[in-house]
Amino acid sequence: MTIAVETVILFLLIIGLFAFLGFRRGFIGELVKFGLILLAYAVGQKDMLGGIVIRVINSIWLIIQILINGGISLILSGDLSSEKLSQTLSGAKTAGPLIPATSGNSLLFILMIVLIVFAFIASSMVKRKSSRLLGVFMGIVNGLAIIYIFRPYLTGTPLLPPLNATSPLQGIASLFSMAFDLMLVPLDWLQNTLGVYFVPFLIVAIVLILLKSLRS
């Protein structure tokens, strides 16, 4: 499969942006963002949390309709006969569910977007005192997660192939593995460029990083 140059550039921009945000926010903030992104994805799927969300909203709507269609007066009067209850329930069911089956997917998609936006807001509120390197790693993970979440809505050549995971945990593990591979790409490039000088360069870089961390 040939991937267009524009697709590669877009992928690098997205991953670079999320890696930069991870560097700024640190590990904990990005971990919070990752958890909320997973929650958003689960809410956006009917076969996961989305179906439960729709049922809860429709149940609350039914209760409201029962109260509007005579339920309040029944409670206040104390007349809970079967005939009165039947009339009240019939009136409530006439209104129908708040979220019909035909519009459920649209609502879940909107809820997913809202939760993803909330994930970014929540992560920005976390104190930035955790590891920046791990923050970069988690930033890449979050970037990959966003790409895969919106992959079904993309047109043309997708940025990445399907995860082909048989379980949610396997999908999460694949994201972490892919993020780790992406973090090693610069080191692989340096090794190919520097050749025999790669190991001394790496040692000097590690020493400088350690000295900087000790000074801070």
Side-chain angles (χ1 to χ4, degrees):
M1 181 181 66
T2 303
I3 301 178
V5 176
E6 294 83 358
T7 302
V8 175
I9 293 175
L10 178 60
F11 169 75
L12 293 176
L13 286 175
I14 293 174
I15 295 300
L17 174 62
F18 276 85
F20 174 73
L21 290 175
F23 178 80
R24 291 288 304 275
R25 299 300 176 193
F27 174 70
I28 300 300
E30 291 302 304
L31 187 62
V32 170
K33 184 188 296 181
F34 180 68
L36 291 174
I37 288 175
L38 290 183
L39 176 62
Y41 176 75
V43 168
Q45 306 300 310
K46 268 189 177 181
D47 55 346
M48 299 176 74
L49 292 181
I52 297 175
V53 170
I54 291 177
R55 287 195 295 271
V56 169
I57 293 175
N58 282 336
S59 297
I60 294 174
W61 176 250
L62 178 61
I63 293 173
I64 293 173
Q65 289 299 315
I66 290 173
L67 295 175
I68 293 175
N69 287 275
I72 295 177
S73 59
L74 285 180
I75 295 173
L76 294 176
S77 64
D79 183 8
L80 299 177
S81 63
S82 58
E83 182 181 354
K84 292 289 186 181
L85 288 174
S86 178
Q87 291 176 355
T88 301
L89 290 175
S90 298
K93 290 181 179 179
T94 302
L98 179 63
I99 307 174
T102 54
S103 61
N105 290 331
S106 300
L107 176 69
L108 292 179
F109 179 77
I110 294 172
L111 287 177
M112 182 180 71
I113 296 296
V114 170
L115 286 174
I116 289 176
V117 172
F118 176 73
F120 281 83
I121 297 173
S123 67
S124 67
M125 299 172 65
V126 177
K127 293 183 179 180
R128 308 169 192 176
K129 293 184 179 180
S130 51
S131 170
R132 292 185 181 272
L133 181 61
L134 289 176
V136 171
F137 173 75
M138 283 305 304
I140 294 175
V141 171
N142 287 331
L144 291 171
I146 290 294
I147 289 173
Y148 274 108
I149 285 175
F150 290 99
R151 187 179 188 275
Y153 309 99
L154 298 175
T155 58
T157 304
L159 296 177
L160 290 170
L163 283 177
N164 293 326
T166 57
S167 67
L169 288 179
Q170 187 178 354
I172 293 172
S174 299
L175 289 177
F176 274 76
S177 176
M178 199 178 306
F180 183 74
D181 292 338
L182 286 173
M183 287 197 69
L184 293 181
V185 168
L187 291 179
D188 184 60
W189 178 82
L190 279 175
Q191 184 178 16
N192 293 330
T193 304
L194 298 177
V196 294
Y197 300 102
F198 172 71
V199 174
F201 173 83
L202 187 62
I203 293 174
V204 172
I206 293 174
V207 170
L208 290 176
I209 292 172
L210 289 175
L211 288 175
K212 184 177 180 181
S213 63
L214 289 175
R215 288 178 182 177
S216 60

